[in-house]
Amino acid sequence: GAVVSQHPSWVICKSGTSVKIECRSLDFQATTMFWYRQFPKQSLMLMATSNEGSKATYEQGVEKDKFLINHASLTLSTLTVTSAHPEDSSFYICSAKGTGNTEAFFGQGTRLTVV
Amino acid sequence: GDSVTQMEGPVTLSEEAFLTINCTYTATGYPSLFWYVQYPGEGLQLLLKATKADDKGSNKGFEATYRKETTSFHLEKGSVQVSDSAVYFCALSLNAGGTSYGKLTFGQGTILTVHP
């Protein structure tokens, strides 16, 4: 299957700082990328969908000014958590889909802890 | 709204035991259903899927049947191995057209540990 690499795997940051998470498709062109978040003992929740070269579409209740998503190329999307607070601590995971794929392929996820 | 409910874990089994992980869903339309697996340190991988009622998805000895009447998609395996230890996620997709499964609604995941 296709490979999606997410970086970093885990990050600890201070409250008030910003954190950037990268999602790369290594062997295919990702026309669409999806960002999910998972709180402990809860489901993965879709945060936003991004298409290359377009603004991301955010799910209801997700603050677009806090979770900045950029999908500037066919192999890279980034999620920036701005002015992070402890309640943003979560597991963030991306998936990527190309035009020739019927399914999206997932990255390894990023564990964010805000202290 | 659409939702997926999985049995709570963790599930601990001995090698060669029978596995069932229950999954039920609520959806406004006719979803496609999936099981994903996440091995330690890796991303989610699609394990199997079913796109319409009574379809059976199967892969690596795992099976799940799409039951519309009970809105269920339970995962089963007849004889688990230590290498099956992972987190299993049930999910649904309501993408129109039935050929594009990017936007998913997930269950909370079930941790499976298999002992030798």
Side-chain angles (χ1 to χ4, degrees), chain B residues 43-97:
Chain B
L44 273 71
Q45 302 173 25
L46 179 63
L47 180 60
L48 53 84
K49 68 176 186 280
T51 58
K52 61 183 187 296
D54 299 325
D55 269 2
K56 176 186 284 187
S58 61
N59 185 25
K60 299 181 180 180
F62 292 89
E63 291 183 341
T65 301
Y66 189 144
R67 301 288 188 198
K68 187 179 176 183
E69 63 276 14
T70 54
T71 61
S72 66
F73 193 55
H74 304 322
L75 182 68
E76 296 182 337
K77 186 174 186 181
S79 176
V80 294
Q81 305 300 312
V82 173
S83 57
D84 293 326
S85 297
V87 183
Y88 292 82
F89 293 91
C90 185
L92 68 80
S93 174
L94 280 170
N95 283 13

Side-chain angles (χ1 to χ4, degrees), chain B residues 1-80:
Chain B
D2 306 322
S3 66
V4 176
T5 302
Q6 288 179 236
M7 65 183 286
E8 287 208 23
V11 175
T12 303
L13 296 173
S14 297
E15 206 165 25
E16 299 184 0
F18 184 85
L19 168 72
T20 298
I21 301 177
N22 289 340
C23 171
T24 56
Y25 68 90
T26 303
T28 52
Y30 298 96
S32 296
L33 302 174
F34 307 83
W35 278 100
Y36 282 83
V37 58
Q38 185 174 32
Y39 299 104
E42 300 182 18
L44 273 71
Q45 302 173 25
L46 179 63
L47 180 60
L48 53 84
K49 68 176 186 280
T51 58
K52 61 183 187 296
D54 299 325
D55 269 2
K56 176 186 284 187
S58 61
N59 185 25
K60 299 181 180 180
F62 292 89
E63 291 183 341
T65 301
Y66 189 144
R67 301 288 188 198
K68 187 179 176 183
E69 63 276 14
T70 54
T71 61
S72 66
F73 193 55
H74 304 322
L75 182 68
E76 296 182 337
K77 186 174 186 181
S79 176
V80 294

Side-chain angles (χ1 to χ4, degrees), chain A residues 36 43-44 46 97 102-103 107, chain B residues 43 89 100-104 106-107:
Chain A
Y36 294 83
S43 301
L44 277 78
L46 180 67
K97 180 180 176 302
T102 58
E103 66 175 278
Chain B
F89 293 91
S100 178
Y101 311 120
K103 189 173 178 179
L104 296 159
F106 284 91

